[in-house]
Amino acid sequence: MGESQFDVILDHYRNPRNYGELSDASVKVKDSNPLCGDVVEVYLKINGGVVEKASFRGHGCAISQASASMLIESIQGKSLDDVKALDKGSVFEMLGIEVGPVRVKCALLPLKALKAAVYSYLGTKMDTREFEE
Ligand code: FES
């Protein structure tokens, strides 16, 4: 039997990919979940409209940290337009498990920080409606 998606998530939680500060980041954004205090900080090195390198740091529940690890891994070398096109559905698909209402904010915290980083880099305003209840 293959490993379950829960094992994949736990593995990302225990061994986060691309973890740590990027000293030459073009932009970094930290966001937190006010309900629990969990934190995700995203670092992006951007060159010619492409994410040359991305990393993150953070602490919190397995879902928030695994979601950060998977998301950051998935955007290496991607264009900013591709990153801007990511939405809730992309995150849920990536996690591959049913995320209950209590955990939705955990799952989306990394995407929120990532998009804020891209919009801050571009100097344009981010539409935060997708992250509201
Ligand atoms: Fe805090 Fe999940 S419990 S982000």
Side-chain angles (χ1 to χ4, degrees):
M1 215 183 89
E3 59 178 1
S4 79
Q5 191 58 22
F6 289 101
D7 294 328
V8 174
I9 289 171
L10 272 182
D11 184 52
H12 274 272
Y13 174 57
R14 292 189 181 125
N15 310 295
R17 325 295 199 260
N18 306 292
Y19 192 88
E21 219 166 298
L22 266 192
S23 54
D24 57 350
S26 319
V27 65
K28 59 173 179 174
V29 164
K30 189 186 219 167
D31 202 350
S32 64
N33 187 338
L35 294 176
C36 59
D38 292 354
V39 174
V40 170
E41 186 164 24
V42 169
Y43 303 83
L44 300 177
K45 181 161 192 248
I46 297 166
N47 207 340
V50 166
V51 177
E52 217 171 64
K53 181 124 189 50
S55 73
F56 81 101
R57 278 176 8 136
H59 55 82
C61 68
I63 294 286
S64 71
Q65 302 305 303
S67 171
S69 173
M70 291 169 139
L71 186 66
I72 293 303
E73 185 175 49
S74 78
I75 61 154
Q76 307 288 340
K78 287 266 168 72
S79 74
L80 294 184
D81 285 342
D82 284 347
V83 177
K84 278 160 73 183
L86 294 170
D87 61 10
K88 286 182 186 183
S90 329
V91 173
F92 296 146
E93 196 178 311
M94 201 181 59
L95 287 168
I97 56 161
E98 193 79 37
V99 181
V102 180
R103 290 294 183 188
V104 165
K105 276 202 182 305
C106 307
L108 295 180
L109 176 63
L111 179 65
K112 199 166 156 235
L114 170 62
K115 284 200 153 180
V118 168
Y119 282 94
S120 143
Y121 174 80
L122 294 171
T124 51
K125 213 171 147 9
M126 165 174 161
D127 184 353
T128 54
R129 274 173 304 182
E130 66 172 309
F131 299 108
E132 282 154 21
E133 300 283 88

